[in-house]
Amino acid sequence: MTQVTDHRGGVQSLRVPIPDNPLGHTLVYVLDTDRGPVLIDTGWDDPASWDALADGLTACGTSPAEIHGVVITHHHPDHHGLSARVREASGAWIAMHAADASVVRRTRENPPDRWYAYITGKLIAAGAPEEHMAPLLAVRASGRMRTLPGFDAALPDRDITPGELLDLPGRRLRAIWTPGHTPGHVCLHLEENHPAGLPGRGRLFSGDHLLPEITPHIGLHEDPDDATVTDPLGDYLDSLERIGRLGAAEVLPAHQHAFTDAASRVRELLTHHEDRLTDLLTHLAHPLTPWQLAERMEWNRPWDQIPYGSRTIAVSEAEAHLRRLVKLGRAEAVAGSDPVAYVAV
């Protein structure tokens, strides 16, 4: 039986499992409106996850067929994965920030072989060793490239416009653009009195932007059709400060559990990233490639215990931190290095 939590005031959450992932589940929120229930995120596209979503909706007194709309905090498959099935069951609209909708569109338009070529090139440029590249190169050589999660995600029907109230009759839900984890990540501020009378300004559906005990992944946004030099970590830190000033009474995140004192959690994360950048400068006393830097960074387990796929994600996070250091003038690329190496300045 799917675990359902009543947050009162017409807000419930249910746990939708993420297969083979230490996060365990995504918290999907069910928001009552005058036109029917609206979901905030949907969960991973998997039969067991769909069953959990449907069972949870039944426990909430509704069903997939009765969903009026779907609001997506960001395009990742553990949030957007089941959106298409919900729309097929109900005719619900799907809303997403235009930046993430663009990622979904380009991802659908690029065939798997182009994605594999792009990822291969990125890893080689980051200094990935032969043993890491071998499985990827073997898949490309075989021509049996599988479709990865998110490659055929649903195209949204509506854009979420930052700063505006969403069209949800009977509710005041305002979108706040919080890029960093993805280019179009949004938090959603429920501008209504807290049902338990907690002090502060309403409740915040924070997606992956603000979590109570873990730090969201901030990496480079992979996209073979977009050569823009972005600064996702800088975007994330700026977004965190905006959320910290909001003064929400309670945060309803997409993972783990609800919590209060968002400002304190924001301060912890800002301090964490500043400490991490300072630590990386120590490593960069000598030139290192992004891969070499990732090997030396502190993760939730030793590098030799990090699975293959997670190492690729870790290198992307190392690159995002390097981008931030370069933009701040605290590191630079070593001229002529191949693969490119970076050093503190």
Side-chain angles (χ1 to χ4, degrees):
M1 186 68 180
T2 304
Q3 182 174 336
V4 173
T5 301
D6 186 358
H7 300 275
R8 300 169 59 185
V11 178
Q12 299 179 82
S13 67
L14 51 98
R15 295 187 176 194
V16 176
I18 310 171
D20 303 317
N21 189 296
L23 278 175
H25 60 268
T26 301
L27 291 172
V28 172
Y29 292 92
V30 185
L31 180 66
D32 293 340
T33 80
D34 290 347
R35 289 187 186 164
V38 168
L39 300 185
I40 297 177
D41 292 335
T42 59
W44 191 276
D45 185 7
D46 178 81
S49 303
W50 172 255
D51 290 345
L53 178 64
D55 290 346
L57 290 174
T58 299
C60 290
T62 185
S63 72
E66 296 177 77
I67 300 304
H68 172 60
V70 176
V71 182
I72 298 299
T73 61
H74 61 295
H75 72 81
H76 286 164
D78 56 324
H79 298 258
H80 183 42
L82 286 171
S83 298
R85 290 201 64 175
V86 171
R87 183 164 59 189
E88 289 167 5
S90 63
W93 48 261
I94 301 172
M96 181 185 290
H97 187 282
D100 269 20
S102 180
V103 173
V104 170
R105 188 172 297 108
R106 291 195 298 265
T107 301
R108 290 170 58 100
E109 292 170 352
N110 278 306
D113 61 336
R114 184 159 187 229
W115 276 100
Y116 276 84
Y118 172 76
I119 294 170
T120 298
K122 290 274 291 183
L123 286 168
I124 291 173
E130 290 184 9
E131 60 267 25
H132 186 84
M133 297 304 305
L136 189 60
L137 293 172
V139 170
R140 286 191 63 197
S142 72
R144 295 192 296 270
M145 288 163 283
R146 61 190 179 95
T147 298
L148 300 175
F151 272 36
D152 56 354
L155 287 171
D157 312 291
R158 301 183 180 184
D159 283 346
I160 294 175
T161 303
E164 292 189 1
L165 290 171
L166 276 70
D167 182 19
L168 303 180
R171 309 308 300 245
R172 288 186 59 85
L173 188 68
R174 193 177 302 276
I176 303 172
W177 184 34
T178 50
H181 184 58
T182 70
H185 190 290
V186 293
C187 292
L188 302 154
H189 187 204
L190 191 59
E191 297 179 341
E192 302 168 9
N193 292 333
H194 193 280
L198 295 182
R201 299 181 58 213
R203 291 181 280 182
L204 183 75
F205 299 99
S206 65
D208 280 1
H209 185 70
L210 189 63
L211 302 169
E213 297 167 2
I214 56 178
T215 305
H217 166 68
I218 308 297
L220 298 188
H221 307 309
E222 308 296 354
D223 189 339
D225 286 334
D226 188 355
T228 306
V229 179
T230 59
D231 178 19
L233 181 55
D235 292 341
Y236 178 68
L237 298 176
D238 289 344
S239 302
L240 269 180
E241 292 185 345
R242 290 202 305 275
I243 291 301
R245 293 191 294 266
L246 189 64
E250 186 178 27
V251 179
L252 303 176
H255 303 288
Q256 299 188 309
H257 55 81
F259 63 101
T260 57
D261 198 0
S264 176
R265 181 60 180 145
V266 164
R267 287 193 297 271
E268 290 176 358
L269 288 168
L270 291 172
T271 299
H272 162 78
H273 281 288
E274 183 54 41
D275 290 347
R276 198 176 202 192
L277 289 170
T278 300
D279 182 61
L280 296 189
L281 288 173
T282 302
H283 293 306
L284 292 171
H286 303 285
L288 295 174
T289 65
W291 184 278
Q292 292 169 333
L293 184 62
E295 290 178 315
R296 291 159 174 79
M297 291 172 69
E298 184 176 339
W299 306 103
N300 60 359
R301 69 190 85 177
W303 183 258
D304 61 6
Q305 296 177 22
I306 295 179
Y308 175 88
S310 297
R311 290 189 181 191
T312 298
I313 295 171
V315 171
S316 179
E317 187 151 332
E319 290 181 298
H321 281 73
L322 283 167
R323 286 266 183 96
R324 186 67 187 149
L325 289 171
V326 169
K327 186 169 184 178
L328 293 172
R330 298 163 74 179
E332 64 183 10
V334 176
S337 57
D338 185 18
V340 63
Y342 294 83
V343 67
V345 293

